[in-house]
């Protein structure tokens, strides 16, 4: 009983912490300074009409900039950009 109560409080504290409020993809995206170029060159569904193309585009800029993201991090950033800008249905 005591143990499960402790677990409950730890879990509540973790979920309420500010770090959890932001998507992991947003943190990666902000850290990599992507907006240095994409403020003048805004993300657009015209250039990136589907979710798989969005993942490819994120991978492309990741490679070019040597951001060094792993595949799952590229996915997280694509997810964040999709929810914020593109709103593509995910396959
Ligand atoms: C040095 C400038 C520069 C930086 C920094 C940069 N990009 Fe790009 N990005 C480009 C260019 C150039 C293109 C392709 C040309 C175009 O817009 O058609 C592009 C295209 C894209 C696209 C697809 C285009 C669209 O409008 O949908 C995405 C998504 C993208 N970048 C994500 C990122 C992410 C994520 C980062 C941070 C890791 C990043 N970019 C950093 C220059 C940059």
């Amino acid at each position: 009983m005591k143990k499960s109560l402790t677990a409950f409080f730890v879990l509540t504290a973790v979920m309420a912490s500010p770090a959890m409020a932001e998507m992991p993809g947003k943190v990666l995206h902000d850290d990599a300074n992507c907006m240095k170029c994409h403020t003048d060159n805004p993300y657009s569904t015209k250039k990136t009409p589907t979710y798989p193309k969005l993942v490819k585009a994120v991978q492309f800029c990741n490679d070019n900039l040597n951001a060094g993201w792993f595949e799952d991090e590229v996915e997280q950033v694509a997810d964040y950009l999709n929810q914020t800008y593109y709103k593509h249905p995910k396959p």
Side-chain angles (χ1 to χ4, degrees):
M1 176 61 196
K2 188 154 185 273
K3 227 183 192 158
S4 65
L5 208 64
T6 309
F8 173 76
F9 281 121
V10 170
L11 206 67
T12 315
V14 168
M15 291 196 313
S17 74
M20 292 297 290
E22 291 198 329
M23 296 178 66
K26 178 177 183 350
V27 177
L28 286 165
H29 180 264
D30 292 356
D31 280 358
N33 221 352
C34 306
M35 284 325 229
K36 188 175 70 191
C37 293
H38 286 285
T39 304
D40 291 336
N41 181 9
Y43 298 126
S44 148
T45 51
K46 277 206 198 91
K47 284 177 260 171
T48 315
T50 63
Y51 186 79
K53 287 198 170 147
L54 173 57
V55 176
K56 284 233 169 69
V58 172
Q59 184 69 62
F60 167 84
C61 276
N62 171 45
D63 287 347
N64 269 336
L65 298 166
N66 279 320
W69 290 335
F70 294 114
E71 223 170 281
D72 58 334
E73 291 171 320
V74 168
E75 276 275 334
Q76 286 172 353
V77 173
D79 233 15
Y80 156 68
L81 291 178
N82 193 40
Q83 285 195 25
T84 311
Y85 302 97
Y86 295 90
K87 324 269 187 210
H88 293 313
K90 273 190 78 173

